[in-house]
Amino acid sequence: MHTATVFIELGSVILVLGLLGRIAGRYGFSPIPLYLLGGLAFGTGGLLPLSASEEFVATGAEIGVVLLLLMLGLEYTAADLVTNLKAQYPAGAVDFLLNAIPGAVAALLLGWGPVAAVVLAGVTWISSSGVIAKVLGDLGRLGNRETPVILSILVLEDLAMAVYLPILTALLAGAGLVAGSITLAIALATAGAVLFVALRYGRLISRFVSHDDPEKLLLVVLGLTLLVAGIAQQLQVSAAVGAFLVGIALSGEAAEGAHTLLSPLRDLFAAVFFVFFGLSTDPTSIPPVLLPALLLAAVTAVTKVATGYWAARRAGIATRGRWRAGGALVSRGEFSIVIAGLAVTAGIEPGLGPLATAYVLILVITGPLAARYTQPAAERLGAVFARQRGAWAPEARAGAVASGVVASGVVASGVVASGVVANGGAAGGTAAAAVLPAQGAGVEPVEDSPDSEGVLDPGAGPGQALDGLSR
């Protein structure tokens, strides 16, 4: 009887997730907010709370996190990560400062303590790679000049997770300074060793894993990932980081085949993970933190736009591309929930889960809108300000010239103000010379170069656009 109840509950949840995914696909937005809302509906205090299948859903959620990080690691090679780390580390530092600090400050202002501040800093810092990649594809921007800049920032964020997650895990476990330092040292040593092995022996590892039979390839990759994730968790490094490093170590045909085979599993268990996070959150606890979530979302949306704008400007991208890069980075999603989920499981702060849920719901919905409309909105505002400055400057300065130069010239010459007499004409010429520079003052130059806004290649596909950054 218990097994039948589990099947009924799981079947109902998965069916609802499939219908919600269809709705999201029909209207062209990420299904993550719908999955979170579904979890709220099935959780404690929801419409149809689950009971029998909660343990299975919890295990499925942990597998979902592992598969999310594995698939992310499969997108990059060790060489990609090293190259991006060398070339784009200033952008990564700016990204951290502008987006992690607001989260930490918000947690401290709410009186949650330093551990919660570290958690909320990670929630507001990391953009959603999955949502952003989908949005860039939907908007046809994979070949744009600013896209490599966007992907470089995402790669640096993902690489930083290998350091951040072990620190967070140690803090959540209540480890002291010595134990936390040891955990961090183990994590850094492990990540460094994996990168070295992947750079030096990546082809040999991929040959060992690769197989023509999809079944055997799936079993080897999935078994290796879960084994490494378990060992990493035992060492308090984080299972997610272990899975990410396995993905980095694989390359070539093995990575491509594993990506194809594991994508459906990733989608299933990732959806279960978002539902489980919703299950862990009481819907009645969200309204009290809704205002802080809105304020935090507004602040960090602006800071992400500033991050993308600065990074694109540093890379020599024109103004339109800078705004597009900033707007594309606004979305938060899966990894913000992963970070908050670790804190919820550890029972650090009751209000942290509801705040993170509301925060992610806001930005995962507004993020695609920001990606689409940030650049046109910035151009319209710029045009309005330019017109206002252009309308004010000639009138104000011409008035000053007329009263100061023309009038004084007319009085001194003793001629009529019409300027028919030569001296008056000279005065009028002085006025014109003084007015002309004022008309151009404060007006930004127009970028009309065809090369400044184009794409890398009008027919460039994802592989060309992401060359050197991802597979």
Side-chain angles (χ1 to χ4, degrees):
M1 188 65 181
H2 176 73
T3 303
T5 305
V6 171
F7 285 167
I8 292 172
E9 290 185 354
L10 286 177
S12 301
V13 170
I14 294 173
L15 178 60
V16 169
L17 292 178
L19 296 176
L20 292 176
R22 284 190 177 185
I23 293 173
R26 182 179 182 85
Y27 292 99
F29 63 90
S30 170
I32 292 175
L34 297 184
Y35 293 160
L36 289 172
L37 291 174
L40 292 173
F42 288 116
T44 303
L47 300 176
L48 299 170
L50 300 179
S51 57
S53 59
E54 188 171 354
E55 183 177 351
F56 180 88
V57 172
T59 303
E62 294 182 7
I63 296 175
V65 175
V66 168
L67 292 179
L68 277 172
L69 271 294
L70 169 66
M71 299 297 282
L72 185 64
L74 289 174
E75 295 291 336
Y76 312 113
T77 65
D80 293 337
L81 293 178
V82 172
T83 301
N84 279 280
L85 187 60
K86 290 180 179 178
Q88 298 294 341
Y89 71 88
V94 170
D95 181 33
F96 171 77
L97 292 174
L98 290 183
N99 297 285
I101 291 178
V105 171
L108 295 176
L109 290 176
L110 290 170
W112 287 353
V115 176
V118 174
V119 174
L120 198 56
V123 170
T124 58
W125 172 24
I126 305 295
S127 296
S128 172
S129 302
V131 174
I132 291 172
K134 186 177 187 306
V135 168
L136 291 176
D138 292 343
L139 296 178
R141 296 182 184 174
L142 290 176
N144 279 29
R145 293 181 182 274
E146 72 275 4
T147 298
V149 176
I150 297 169
L151 294 175
S152 294
I153 293 175
L154 295 178
V155 169
L156 289 172
E157 288 181 350
D158 297 334
L159 184 60
M161 292 277 282
V163 178
Y164 171 80
L165 286 178
I167 296 175
L168 180 62
T169 302
L171 290 174
L172 293 175
L177 180 62
V178 175
S181 301
I182 293 174
T183 300
L184 178 58
I186 292 174
L188 292 176
T190 303
V194 170
L195 288 175
F196 174 78
V197 171
L199 282 170
R200 195 75 178 266
Y201 306 106
R203 292 184 179 180
L204 294 176
I205 296 173
S206 297
R207 286 180 186 175
F208 171 76
V209 173
S210 182
H211 200 281
D212 294 334
D213 189 344
E215 177 185 353
K216 296 179 176 61
L217 176 62
L218 174 63
L219 292 174
V220 170
V221 173
L222 184 58
L224 178 63
T225 302
L226 293 177
L227 176 63
V228 173
I231 294 174
Q233 188 77 22
Q234 196 71 23
L235 295 174
Q236 292 189 344
V237 174
S238 171
V241 171
F244 180 67
L245 295 175
V246 170
I248 291 174
L250 299 179
S251 61
E253 294 182 0
E256 294 175 3
H259 192 283
T260 301
L261 293 172
L262 289 169
S263 290
L265 283 176
R266 184 269 318 270
D267 295 340
L268 170 62
F269 285 104
V272 171
F273 166 73
F274 293 121
V275 169
F276 175 73
F277 188 83
L279 289 174
S280 305
T281 304
D282 188 348
T284 60
S285 62
I286 291 181
V289 297
L290 189 57
L291 180 59
L294 283 169
L295 293 175
L296 190 58
V299 170
T300 53
V302 173
T303 55
K304 273 293 182 183
V305 172
T307 299
Y309 188 96
W310 184 89
R313 180 181 180 182
R314 180 176 176 270
I317 308 299
T319 304
R320 290 183 176 182
R322 298 172 196 171
W323 288 117
R324 287 195 296 264
L329 289 170
V330 169
S331 294
R332 309 306 202 275
E334 60 272 22
F335 297 114
S336 296
I337 297 297
V338 168
I339 294 167
L342 294 174
V344 170
T345 303
I348 293 299
E349 177 58 48
L352 187 56
L355 177 63
T357 301
Y359 175 81
V360 171
L361 282 173
I362 293 168
L363 288 183
V364 82
I365 293 172
T366 58
L369 299 177
R372 185 185 295 269
Y373 296 114
T374 295
Q375 176 243 321
E379 286 186 341
R380 290 184 181 181
L381 288 175
V384 170
F385 292 147
R387 282 197 300 268
Q388 289 178 348
R389 291 196 300 267
W392 176 84
E395 293 176 3
R397 296 193 180 186
V401 169
S403 61
V405 178
V406 177
S408 63
V410 169
V411 172
S413 305
V415 297
V416 294
S418 61
V420 176
V421 181
N423 288 339
T430 304
V435 169
L436 287 176
Q439 289 176 335
V443 180
E444 295 181 1
V446 178
E447 295 178 350
D448 53 0
S449 171
D451 294 332
S452 65
E453 295 300 335
V455 297
L456 295 174
D457 181 353
Q464 293 169 289
L466 311 187
D467 185 25
L469 291 170
S470 67
R471 259 179 228 100

